[in-house]
Amino acid sequence: MIKLEPRGERSATMAYLSPVLAALLTMLTGLILFTLLGIDPVEALITILYVPISDTHGITELCVKTTPILLCAIGLSVVFKAKIWNIGAEGQLLMGGLFGSYIALQLIETEGFWVLPAVLISGVVGGMFWSGIAAILKVRFNTNEILTTIMMNYIALNILLWAVHGPLKDPEGFNFPESALFGDSALLPVLIEGTRVNFGMALALLAVVAVWVLMSRSFYGFQIKVMGMDAGAARLSGFKDKRLICFALLLSGGLAGLAGVGEVTGPIGQLIPQISPGYGYAAIIVAFLGRLHPVGILLASLLMALLYMGGEMAQISLGLPLALTGLFQGMLLFYLLACDVLITFRIRLKPGKVISRSPVPPLASETQG
């Protein structure tokens, strides 16, 4: 019988090496998988992990892919520190893109320095509005935020599809489900000429610094961490847990909304049904892979963005399905969780108990005979 026993003390070194080990195990499993498929495993890994960033254009595209993942993940790190399980970053991203697109379309012919800030703020408000619903349900009715945020992802997606097929569809767009192109005043400025790297990357890095300051240098961040470690102790200390829950969820939703509006005002330039290929879900893996630390999340976001680009490259070069990206993400999460379990617990093999049975007493007829 296999039994897990708690270790005396969790190794801090192994806790930080666990993501590295999970990444190595993911690559090893990938080698085995490609071999079974009859594909040169070394060539496949090179195609996925090196070819996408083998030139300057690839590195700039890596920055573009990293931006929304980083914004969602750094926001999720705050709620996860508080042991609030917001699984709805994807829906909050979509609502941020939708809110921002609506304002951008209303101001499509307006020029002025204030147009872009208004669009970005509306996107943040959209994400906060969507996460605020989950916050109200949790603090008022003690509703499980995992269920509400997951279900709200699908609601947000259907609202987006309704909007882009209905009121926000470009009347001159030949019936394609997309909005009109935004005006120049509503677009994020390009940071590197000739590339798609835009001001959204600077906003993402600024968010990383701001969250680091919040969580490590502010009393509010200290309260959030205490609530995550022991909610009862936080209440006894006078911390207002409901206010902290609302703050953490609103901050997380706002940053996810900023990621969404950054996509529609940056590399996309209009509202389309495919704002995100799953950045909000990938950000959950990134947050844990980065150990909820801003620097770790930044590095994990780069890795996750590389997997997205590598999946597209493998589809083009090797004819592999695009679902390969999701497969690698799933393996990465699986190995990360497995490593964490083995850091905290040790496996013990114990022999099963032998159940002895008492002899059946003879029947009365047998004894008489």
Side-chain angles (χ1 to χ4, degrees):
M1 183 176 63
I2 299 176
K3 184 178 180 180
L4 294 177
E5 291 184 354
R7 296 182 183 273
E9 185 178 353
R10 178 170 176 167
S11 171
T13 303
M14 286 304 300
Y16 284 101
L17 289 178
S18 174
V20 179
L21 181 59
L24 292 176
L25 289 172
T26 300
M27 286 192 293
L28 179 60
T29 306
L31 288 172
I32 297 172
L33 177 64
F34 292 133
T35 303
L36 294 176
L37 292 174
I39 299 172
D40 183 358
V42 177
E43 180 187 357
L45 284 185
I46 291 175
T47 302
I48 294 172
L49 300 177
Y50 173 70
V51 173
I53 54 173
S54 59
D55 54 17
T56 305
H57 173 73
I59 294 175
T60 59
E61 284 299 303
L62 180 68
C63 294
V64 174
K65 289 279 189 183
T66 300
T67 299
I69 301 174
L70 180 57
L71 281 169
C72 290
I74 199 65
L76 289 176
S77 69
V78 177
V79 289
F80 291 165
K81 280 278 188 180
K83 295 293 190 295
I84 303 168
W85 308 115
N86 176 19
I87 315 298
E90 181 73 7
Q92 292 146 22
L93 182 151
L94 297 179
M95 293 305 290
L98 179 59
F99 275 54
S101 297
Y102 176 79
I103 299 300
L105 292 173
Q106 302 308 308
L107 304 174
I108 196 168
E109 297 181 357
T110 305
E111 296 183 359
F113 70 92
W114 57 271
V115 174
L116 179 59
V119 173
L120 293 179
I121 292 172
S122 64
V124 173
V125 170
M128 293 176 70
F129 166 72
W130 209 240
S131 64
I133 297 175
I136 292 173
L137 291 173
K138 181 171 180 62
V139 299
R140 295 283 295 181
F141 305 104
N142 197 30
T143 308
N144 188 303
E145 71 275 10
I146 298 177
L147 299 178
T148 55
T149 52
I150 286 178
M151 291 188 292
M152 289 177 68
N153 286 337
Y154 299 102
I155 297 173
L157 176 60
N158 282 281
I159 292 175
L160 171 65
L161 294 175
W162 166 78
V164 82
H165 284 86
L168 299 186
K169 185 169 68 173
D170 184 6
E172 300 178 359
F174 303 100
N175 208 33
F176 285 102
E178 59 187 25
S179 74
L181 293 173
F182 298 162
D184 292 339
S185 298
L187 297 177
L188 288 168
V190 174
L191 294 181
I192 303 176
E193 195 65 32
T195 70
R196 298 199 304 163
V197 179
N198 54 65
F199 191 67
M201 188 65 189
L203 291 176
L205 294 176
L206 181 62
V208 170
V209 175
V211 168
W212 177 79
V213 172
L214 170 70
M215 299 303 295
S216 63
R217 294 291 185 270
S218 74
F219 183 60
Y220 223 74
F222 172 74
Q223 293 181 70
I224 290 174
K225 289 189 287 188
V226 171
M227 185 178 70
M229 290 185 288
D230 193 333
R235 284 191 292 269
L236 289 174
S237 301
F239 299 164
K240 298 181 178 179
D241 57 339
K242 291 184 178 181
R243 181 181 297 179
L244 292 172
I245 290 171
C246 290
F247 172 79
L249 279 170
L250 289 175
L251 177 61
S252 176
L255 288 174
L258 181 60
V261 72
E263 286 296 286
V264 296
T265 59
I268 300 176
Q270 61 182 152
L271 181 65
I272 60 174
Q274 300 84 19
I275 294 178
S276 165
Y279 292 142
Y281 297 114
I284 299 172
I285 303 175
V286 167
F288 287 111
L289 191 64
R291 285 296 177 251
L292 304 183
H293 189 281
V295 176
I297 288 174
L298 174 59
L299 297 176
S301 298
L302 290 168
L303 175 61
M304 190 61 66
L306 179 59
L307 287 179
Y308 273 109
M309 296 174 63
E312 295 171 358
M313 187 63 66
Q315 184 184 27
I316 296 171
S317 303
L318 304 177
L320 293 172
L322 191 59
L324 180 71
T325 302
L327 175 63
F328 270 80
Q329 290 177 0
M331 289 193 299
L332 190 60
L333 179 60
F334 171 78
Y335 284 125
L336 179 64
L337 295 175
C339 291
D340 285 347
V341 168
L342 294 179
I343 289 172
T344 308
F345 300 92
R346 62 167 57 93
I347 298 177
R348 292 293 188 190
L349 297 177
K350 291 190 175 183
K353 294 181 179 180
V354 178
I355 302 176
S356 59
R357 295 183 178 180
S358 58
V360 179
L363 298 176
S365 59
E366 294 178 355
T367 57
Q368 290 175 0

